[in-house]
Amino acid sequence: MTVNYQELGLVNTKKMFKAAFDGKFAIPAYNFNNMEQLQAIVTACAESDSPFILQVSSGARKYANQTLLRYMAQGAAQMMKDINPHLKFALHLDHGDTLEICKACIDSGFSSVMIDGSHHSFEKNIELTKQVVEYAHQFDVTVEGELGVLAGIEDDVVAEESTYTRPEEVFEFVEKTKVDSLAISIGTSHGANKFKPDQCTKNAKGVLVPPPLRFDILEEIENKIPGFPIVLHGSSSVVPKYVDMINSNGGNLKDAVGIPSEQLRQATKSAVCKINIDSDGRLAMTAIIRKVFNDSPEQFDPRKYLGPAREELKQMIIEKNKVVLGSAGRGKEIFT
Ligand code: G3H
Ligand code: 13P
Ligand code: ZN
């Protein structure tokens, strides 16, 4: 059964990105795989009146079942009517890699999809992205494309420079594909180990300090496609308090390092309209669950550890919306 996102009470990203661009803030995109993550995201954004994008990766679709996930998102839209009646959100496919998965999501009520053709040649990326856009735009679904490859600790990144987005390619890509937003690579990366220790310096306390984001490349890109919404993936800060809590409660996260909040805040003042955060939520939940298990080894009721983990994630999201994204309190002006 196919369903359009409008019937589910969802919105595409157009209005949100326009407001974010004009207002110099960014829309947070949070990933979810289970009920507690979904509850935390929805209640945090409702309470802080923040527009947001609910993201589902292909891994999440496999983990939680694609049909169930879509109904969970629909349930969240319904719940939102009770807790913040004017607030709407987008349901977005994160890192879609084929036309088929994008079509399947669009047909099941997603309001936005990412087609990540960044590992293909420039020409193949254009061709694939264009096909997704042609399908999506028939239903007013927005599409995010990507140019440039994000470095990751798992990648054999030989020449760092070569993975950054090439500003000279962005105009042609956007014009030929008619994509609605563009994810770029300016030094962010996925996961909790965004940089190898030898790429970082150490501050006076011995804490790893990552290399700064390439704001110069971002500026060049903005000049090539003025007014066009830019997306940053891999933007967790890898909050040290959660890494410490994990490690002091039996965990073993080594050399975990993320993107400093001040740099993300700086990015929100530019054409960056969407910032993706997943790892920070995973770290927050894991930190609390480890602590509960350590402090109360007799506990075996999932509500006793998933409940506090959900509450921590909620508070973390409220804080990010207020302090990092600048999206808190913007819901009313966008949706009424
Ligand atoms: O960018 C990737 C997201 O963090 C989703 O991760 O594929 O493990 O669900 P996942
Ligand atoms: P993080 O791993 O930095 O949270 O990035 C998430 C992301 O980019 C999802 O697409
Ligand atoms: Zn990503």
Side-chain angles (χ1 to χ4, degrees), residues 31 33 55 57-60 94-95 190-191 233-234 276 278-279 282:
N31 291 67
N33 299 267
Q55 297 203 135
S57 69
S58 41
D94 191 25
H95 292 284
H190 291 112
H233 281 246
N276 286 11
D278 186 3
S279 297
R282 298 178 181 195

Side-chain angles (χ1 to χ4, degrees), residues 83-99:
I83 56 178
N84 187 337
H86 65 256
L87 195 64
K88 302 263 188 289
F89 62 89
L91 177 62
H92 176 80
L93 169 67
D94 191 25
H95 292 284
D97 59 348
T98 62
L99 174 61

Side-chain angles (χ1 to χ4, degrees), residues 277-291:
I277 298 165
D278 186 3
S279 297
D280 276 343
R282 298 178 181 195
L283 291 166
M285 291 190 90
T286 302
I288 297 301
I289 290 169
R290 278 197 173 279
K291 186 159 169 26

